[in-house]
């Protein structure tokens, strides 16, 4: 008896110790949040169930198979910020067939019914998070041992949670440690890339949701993406096109040919090649009638990797591609503008890129996304290069007393409500001077008020920004939708410890191209970097190269640095607060030099 009591006591002590080591979690249900947080839905608040992709009113209007497939959560994603070392996702899905049929014979349960979590660093870089998984009546993904903060974070990283590709989610909660910071992030307000497609865009056969080509593309472009792909049912149905047409998109993508090969025509009531051609023409004309300038991208069937040994398969996709290309050229002859084409060759699938000759592996999904990215970057005038300065990214640093994403959104709202006459693109040197949008830290508000505010100058400077951060902001709308008279650019000092001068110049060249495309009538002035302690000579050398760049780019150049140097060409410490940022006296001197630049 005593042995049994001792065993019970040992068990209770052990359980107590385990309980103390396991943190208590607090839970968040995205479907019950007080502002929209489920990204990838075009009809927030109109769906029959929280994680549907079409509005409730689509039932009975679109084909039954499309309606059923629209309940799959493909492409849906939530963002949040947390410093928890443990994140748990639990949810209930609706498995197909009898029992727990969470996967398929050619696609794993982690892709069909799983979730996927990515973290975003303070430098805007994505990191995939591995989890312990349990598939049951309630599916659980447990992310443990997370490093909750980067160097400049105390409140945690941004996370992006992707939902199942080929299954429905009826209920979901995210749990973090009770003591941890947790902040749901709203749906991004940018116009989305909208994809209408087949099983391949739906996600078959990615090993996990983040590896669907649509998910990869969304991360590469760092834009919202709405996935309206329906497995076996991407057929350019007019009823579905009508719903696609309701969306205010950045780009419309029509990738339906895999479900419109000749072998399907009779069953779908398509009258031969002309019937397919008419279906393409009708779809494009419908979109263009409502969206006069939105780019439309038609996409080839990417081909079948077994077509080298199957002549019928090759004939199927080559015929469909030829007919759609004929429709494309007819539309171009009719004067339809903003119409683009992505070919099979540009997608570039290889022999090992599919599971079954049709549906991509993760490698195939990556090749799909790369082909799309190259095409869309050309369409949207958002090129990238090799150096880090030419790859647009966000950043986040809490000690700067401002939220980077919130400042971006505020600027977009201000530009729409009251377009500025002049803008200043820069980093903390200009950000914390003063002006609008306001920030908690203001060094010399009076000198800004007396000159810049009356002139209509908007402060588009962000603390800690580098060239690639400004490039992201320009690519994501901060110079869109209005005409401004003058644009001043002073950026690059935060790249000095990370990049060579040539890399900084490469990024600046790309940035100037982006600015001139979006503001062709503006007078653009590239400004030399201010001198900084222990870097005076390097800054002087770089500024000489920047002056040459401005000549090549046919923009103006201005260098205010001389006023901050003493007779030994070292910084005048009396004008700086820390060897980099001017103090109040330094800003007053800068104001006087900027006056003639603004009035010319």
């Amino acid at each position: 008896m005593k042995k049994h009591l001792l065993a019970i006591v040992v068990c209770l002590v052990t359980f107590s110790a385990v309980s103390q080591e396991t943190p208590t979690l607090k839970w968040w249900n995205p479907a019950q949040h007080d502002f929209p947080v489920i990204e990838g839905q075009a009809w927030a608040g109109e769906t029959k169930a929280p994680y549907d992709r079409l509005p409730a009113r689509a039932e009975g209007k679109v084909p039954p198979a499309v309606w059923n497939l629209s309940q799959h959560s493909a492409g849906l994603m939530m963002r949040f910020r947390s410093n928890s070392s443990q994140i748990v996702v639990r949810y209930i899905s609706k498995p197909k067939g009898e029992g727990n049929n969470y996967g398929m014979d050619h696609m794993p349960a982690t892709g069909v019914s799983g979730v996927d979590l990515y973290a975003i660093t303070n430098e805007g870089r994505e990191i995939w998070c591995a989890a312990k998984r349990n598939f049951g009546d309630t599916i659980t993904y447990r992310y443990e041992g997370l490093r909750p903060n980067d160097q400049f974070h105390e409140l945690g990283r941004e996370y992006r949670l992707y939902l199942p590709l080929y299954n429905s989610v009826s209920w979901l909660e995210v749990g973090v440690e009770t003591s941890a910071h947790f902040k749901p992030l709203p749906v991004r307000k940018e116009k989305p890339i909208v994809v209408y497609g087949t099983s391949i865009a739906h996600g078959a056969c990615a090993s996990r949701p983040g590896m669907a080509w649509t998910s990869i593309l969304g991360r590469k472009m760092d834009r919202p993406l709405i996935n309206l792909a329906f497995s076996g049912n991407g057929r350019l149905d007019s009823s579905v096109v009508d719903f696609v047409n309701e969306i205010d998109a950045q780009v419309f993508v029509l990738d339906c040919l895999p479900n419109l090969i000749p072998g399907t025509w009779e069953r779908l009531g398509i009258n031969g090649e002309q019937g397919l051609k008419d279906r393409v023409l009708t779809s494009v004309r419908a979109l263009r009638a409502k969206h006069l300038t939105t780019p439309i991208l038609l996409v080839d069937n990417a081909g079948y990797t077994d077509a080298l040994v199957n002549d019928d398969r090759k004939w199927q996709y080559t015929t469909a591609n030829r007919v759609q290309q004929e429709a494309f050229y007819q539309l171009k002859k009719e004067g339809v503008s903003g119409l683009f084409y992505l070919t099979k060759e540009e997608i570039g699938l290889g022999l090992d890129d599919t599971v079954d000759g049709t549906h991509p592996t993760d490698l195939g999904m990556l090749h799909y996304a790369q082909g799309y990215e190259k095409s869309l970057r050309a369409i949207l005038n958002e090129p990238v290069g090799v150096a880090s300065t030419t790859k647009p990214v966000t950043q986040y640093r809490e000690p700067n007393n401002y939220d980077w994403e919130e400042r971006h959104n505020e600027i977009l709202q201000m530009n729409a409500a009251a377009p500025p006459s002049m803008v200043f693109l820069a980093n903390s040197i200009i950000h914390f001077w003063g002006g609008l949008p306001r920030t908690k830290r203001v060094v010399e508000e009076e000198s800004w008020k007396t000159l810049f505010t009356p002139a209509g100058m908007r402060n588009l400077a962000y603390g800690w920004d580098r060239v690639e951060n400004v490039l992201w902001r320009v690519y994501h709308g901060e110079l869109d939708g209005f005409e401004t008279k003058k644009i001043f650019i002073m950026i690059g000092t935060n790249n000095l410890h990370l990049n060579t001068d040539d890399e900084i110049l490469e990024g600046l060249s790309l940035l100037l191209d982006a600015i001139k495309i979006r503001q062709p009538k503006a007078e653009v002035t590239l400004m030399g970097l201010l001198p900084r302690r222990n870097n005076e000579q390097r800054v002087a050398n770089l500024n000489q190269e920047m002056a040459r760049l401005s000549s090549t780019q046919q923009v103006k150049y201005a260098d205010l640095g001389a006023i901050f140097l003493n007779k030994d060409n070292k910084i005048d410490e009396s004008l700086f607060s820390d060897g980099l940022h001017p103090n109040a006296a330094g800003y007053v001197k800068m104001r006087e030099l900027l006056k003639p630049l603004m009035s010319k």
Side-chain angles (χ1 to χ4, degrees), residues 218-236:
R219 292 195 300 277
K220 283 180 174 290
M221 302 294 293
D222 204 9
R223 290 186 178 278
L225 186 146
I226 293 176
N227 186 333
L228 293 179
F230 308 105
S231 184
N233 288 271
R235 299 168 176 171
L236 296 179

Side-chain angles (χ1 to χ4, degrees), residues 116-398:
D116 219 353
L117 188 69
Y118 283 76
I120 308 298
T121 71
N122 62 283
E123 306 292 357
R125 183 167 59 92
E126 65 185 37
I127 300 174
W128 177 73
C129 303
K132 298 176 181 177
R133 305 170 300 277
N134 178 51
F135 285 85
D137 292 339
T138 299
I139 302 174
T140 304
Y141 270 61
R142 191 176 298 274
Y143 302 88
E144 298 175 328
L146 298 171
R147 190 178 77 227
N149 293 303
D150 288 319
Q151 180 182 357
F152 300 100
H153 289 173
E154 294 178 359
L155 301 179
R157 308 173 188 272
E158 176 188 332
Y159 289 93
R160 298 181 181 184
L161 178 66
Y162 293 85
L163 300 190
L165 295 170
Y166 261 79
N167 214 325
S168 303
V169 173
S170 57
W171 171 86
L172 179 144
E173 284 187 333
V174 177
V176 298
E177 296 159 0
T178 302
S179 59
H181 174 74
F182 183 84
K183 179 184 179 182
L185 298 176
V187 169
R188 292 173 291 179
K189 296 180 180 179
E190 288 184 83
K191 293 181 180 182
I193 299 167
V194 178
V195 178
Y196 176 24
T198 69
S199 57
I200 297 169
H202 195 138
C205 287
S207 65
R208 46 187 177 83
M211 287 308 298
W213 72 256
T214 49
S215 301
I216 298 172
L217 179 66
R219 292 195 300 277
K220 283 180 174 290
M221 302 294 293
D222 204 9
R223 290 186 178 278
L225 186 146
I226 293 176
N227 186 333
L228 293 179
F230 308 105
S231 184
N233 288 271
R235 299 168 176 171
L236 296 179
D237 287 300
S238 59
S239 60
V240 179
V241 172
D242 287 344
F243 281 101
V244 172
N245 219 350
E246 293 182 5
I247 305 171
D248 186 12
Q250 186 78 26
V251 180
F252 289 112
V253 174
L254 300 181
D255 189 352
C256 291
L257 285 195
N259 288 162
L260 290 171
I261 57 175
T264 67
W265 293 350
E266 184 176 355
R267 176 166 50 88
L268 298 177
I270 295 175
N271 185 19
E273 293 186 6
Q274 186 61 47
L276 174 59
K277 185 176 181 181
D278 289 342
R279 191 169 285 218
V280 175
L281 295 171
T282 299
S283 300
V284 172
R285 288 167 179 161
L287 291 173
R288 181 54 74 233
K290 186 171 182 179
H291 303 273
L292 302 181
T293 59
T294 305
I296 300 171
L297 178 63
L298 291 173
V299 184
D300 263 350
N301 184 326
Y304 307 125
T305 56
D306 62 333
L308 290 175
V309 295
N310 190 321
D311 291 338
D312 182 64
R313 295 267 281 172
K314 183 176 182 180
W315 174 77
Q316 295 273 4
Y317 78 75
T318 55
T319 300
N321 288 350
R322 175 177 53 79
V323 173
Q324 181 170 258
Q325 289 172 17
E326 290 172 0
F328 170 78
Y329 291 123
Q330 179 175 328
L331 289 163
K332 296 294 283 186
K333 288 180 181 178
E334 292 175 1
V336 176
S337 62
L339 183 62
F340 302 89
Y341 206 96
L342 179 62
T343 67
K344 169 186 175 296
E345 291 71 26
E346 288 169 325
I347 297 172
L349 293 189
L351 292 178
D352 295 324
D353 281 350
T354 70
V355 173
D356 53 9
T358 302
H359 299 96
T361 60
D362 287 353
L363 179 61
M365 290 292 186
L366 177 61
H367 290 158
Y368 253 97
Q370 289 171 336
Y372 264 101
E373 181 189 12
K374 185 176 181 180
S375 177
L376 290 175
R377 287 200 178 280
I379 292 169
L380 298 176
N381 291 307
E382 296 180 7
V384 297
V386 177
S388 64
T389 55
T390 66
K391 297 178 179 179
V393 292
T394 60
Q395 59 106 334
Y396 193 86
R397 284 167 169 80
E398 289 154 8

